[in-house]
Amino acid sequence: MSTPADLAAAALDGERLWARLMALARVGATPRGGVNRQAFSPGDAEARRLLVDWGSTLGLRPFGDRIGNLFLRREGRDPGAPAVLAGSHLDSQPKGGKFDGAYGVLAALAAVEALDSAGVSTRRAIEVVAWSNEEGSRFQPGTMGSGVFTGTMQLADLLAVTDSAGVTVETALAQTLSAVPAVALRDDAPLPAAYVEAHIEQGPVLERAGLPVGVVSGTQGLRWFQVEVAGEAAHAGTTPQRLRRDALKAAAALVTDLDRLLADADDVVRFTVGRFEVEPNSPSTIPDRVLFSIDLRHRDAAALEHLTATIEATCGGAHRGCEVSLSRTEDVAPTTFDPGVTDVIRRACAALGLAHGELLSGAGHDAMLLARVCPSGMIFVPGKGGISHNETEEASPEHLAAGARVLTRALVELAEA
């Protein structure tokens, strides 16, 4: 005899999930097939309006909070019980893919729609959530929405953060919230009973293993730094090399040194310099100021501390006649997801006859912050070539539907607990 979870998973409409993903991908679409939908931009606001419209057709009540997180609530039989949350984010990298984040939000929407189609009720409410500024591409740090929601970041500390054009979070957020009408503010919701996030893997493991689904055990630790190198502007044609305080050459040497010092034979360390800003950025002027970012990741907390100490020692004081200063902009410890939630996801895979892999996420996700306040877990599906944060990011409709069915079964079990 079929259980409610069986009925709901069978009712999931993979074609509708794909159609919504393609519709959302048109918001902020880039010429190469990706999206540029950075946090608190007009594209972000348009994506939110689209999500609210889809939710309203399903009878989901929209709520928001003061950092701009968006919740769509499907009521449960017990209105006093804390809800189960599922979702991800709608914002993207400047040249991002159309599945990163968006899939998790729309898979959750497809799951609650499947429950309706199958006539399945749950004891707990289920809320589809789109977290604000997960990517951190326009405003740093990332995971602002889940950070404020979980109390690991303070809203007052974030509102004055500016983007490269000098626009503050406070201004951009207000514009975004005003562009999404009929969403009630809700700042007093209890912490959720559980949280599940579906996501493309953003790596090659599942595809190479020929597996349709991954059960995620946790995430790597993450630290972001900003390095400022201060030199002296001078004429490129008249200043002797020995008298120069060239900020760009000093910064390039620092990056080269760090790349050598942080390398490991096992290729476990993840060290990335993704942003480089040069001033005055003139062909005939010696650069006097350089800002660059460091993204450091490792699965082990002790190793992360050791690597951080290496960065601090290398980027402290003077370098090639220039002053160097280092600031830490984000710090997230390695995360282990709740064994109970990961067991629920494994059972869902087994019930659906889906082979699955077990893996650690190399990327950061909102789930790593939710894990600090409630039982949390993640479901991965393969991406073509493991490519992500790239306009060519791709995933198959079949894998996306499979992950959404696993999510649906997991949500039924968690929301009945």
Side-chain angles (χ1 to χ4, degrees):
M1 181 177 178
S2 296
T3 67
D6 293 328
L7 296 171
L12 187 124
D13 191 332
E15 291 183 0
R16 186 171 296 163
L17 168 61
W18 180 260
R20 285 181 179 146
L21 281 163
M22 294 304 100
L24 186 59
R26 291 193 285 272
V27 180
T30 63
R32 295 185 64 204
V35 294
N36 181 4
R37 202 167 53 226
Q38 296 182 66
F40 310 137
S41 66
D44 188 6
E46 186 178 347
R48 292 161 182 260
R49 287 195 299 271
L50 193 57
L51 181 62
V52 170
D53 287 345
W54 284 330
S56 68
T57 65
L58 302 178
L60 305 178
R61 286 196 295 156
F63 297 94
D65 61 17
R66 297 185 189 280
I67 189 59
N69 295 318
L70 177 60
F71 306 87
L72 304 177
R73 182 177 176 91
R74 182 184 194 263
E75 293 293 348
R77 299 189 304 270
D78 182 355
V84 173
L85 269 58
S88 191
H89 59 94
L90 297 174
D91 66 302
S92 79
Q93 292 289 325
K95 293 184 177 181
K98 53 184 172 284
F99 301 104
D100 179 1
Y103 168 60
V105 177
L106 296 188
L109 186 69
V112 297
E113 183 178 36
L115 267 64
D116 287 348
S117 298
V120 173
S121 67
T122 56
R123 185 176 79 84
R124 298 181 184 277
I126 297 174
E127 293 185 359
V128 178
V129 57
W131 303 109
S132 289
N133 188 32
E134 190 270 355
E135 292 290 359
S137 56
R138 181 184 180 190
F139 297 104
Q140 294 82 52
T143 62
M144 277 187 183
S146 54
V148 171
F149 180 83
T150 58
T152 54
M153 299 180 194
Q154 298 303 311
L155 178 62
D157 297 334
L158 302 176
L159 293 178
V161 170
T162 61
D163 65 8
S164 60
V167 179
T168 64
V169 167
E170 183 173 24
T171 297
L173 175 57
Q175 292 170 344
T176 299
L177 294 180
S178 66
V180 187
V183 176
L185 282 178
R186 183 188 65 177
D187 290 322
D188 57 351
L191 290 173
Y195 174 70
V196 186
E197 183 169 342
H199 210 282
I200 61 168
E201 181 196 347
Q202 302 180 285
V205 175
L206 293 175
E207 184 184 55
R208 289 181 179 179
L211 295 169
V213 182
V215 180
V216 186
S217 60
T219 65
Q220 291 191 110
L222 163 70
R223 285 188 181 163
W224 280 6
F225 304 86
Q226 179 172 279
V227 183
E228 180 174 0
V229 183
E232 183 176 44
H235 196 291
T238 62
T239 309
Q241 294 289 342
R242 66 180 181 277
L243 299 180
R244 297 184 179 200
R245 296 175 58 220
D246 188 325
L248 178 55
K249 287 185 177 179
L254 281 171
V255 173
T256 300
D257 290 346
L258 288 169
D259 190 54
R260 173 178 53 82
L261 292 168
L262 300 179
D264 67 311
D266 296 327
D267 198 20
V268 174
V269 175
R270 299 290 180 262
F271 164 69
T272 304
V273 175
R275 173 175 289 172
F276 224 81
E277 299 177 6
V278 181
E279 296 179 6
N281 204 29
S282 168
S284 61
T285 304
I286 297 166
D288 67 349
R289 183 172 180 265
V290 171
L291 287 175
F292 67 89
S293 64
I294 295 174
D295 180 313
L296 176 70
R297 305 181 193 223
H298 201 282
R299 64 185 64 171
D300 180 74
L304 199 60
E305 288 295 336
H306 173 73
L307 295 165
T308 296
T310 300
I311 290 173
E312 290 173 341
T314 306
C315 296
H319 198 78
R320 293 198 172 193
C322 298
E323 292 299 317
V324 182
S325 61
L326 175 77
S327 58
R328 191 182 304 185
T329 58
E330 189 158 4
D331 189 347
V332 180
T335 301
T336 300
F337 289 135
D338 182 80
V341 175
T342 53
D343 280 345
V344 167
I345 296 169
R346 289 188 192 98
R347 286 196 292 272
C349 292
L352 291 165
L354 293 170
H356 70 275
E358 307 264 340
L359 66 166
L360 180 79
S361 174
H365 301 281
D366 293 299
M368 65 191 182
L369 296 182
L370 269 293
R372 301 184 184 190
V373 298
C374 72
S376 300
M378 291 191 73
I379 299 162
F380 274 176
V381 297
K384 184 177 180 180
I387 295 171
S388 188
H389 283 198
N390 187 307
E391 293 165 286
T392 63
E393 175 185 274
E394 285 294 342
S396 76
E398 295 76 18
H399 288 151
L400 296 169
R405 291 189 180 97
V406 172
L407 175 65
T408 302
R409 286 197 63 100
L411 290 177
V412 172
E413 182 170 344
L414 293 168
E416 280 295 292

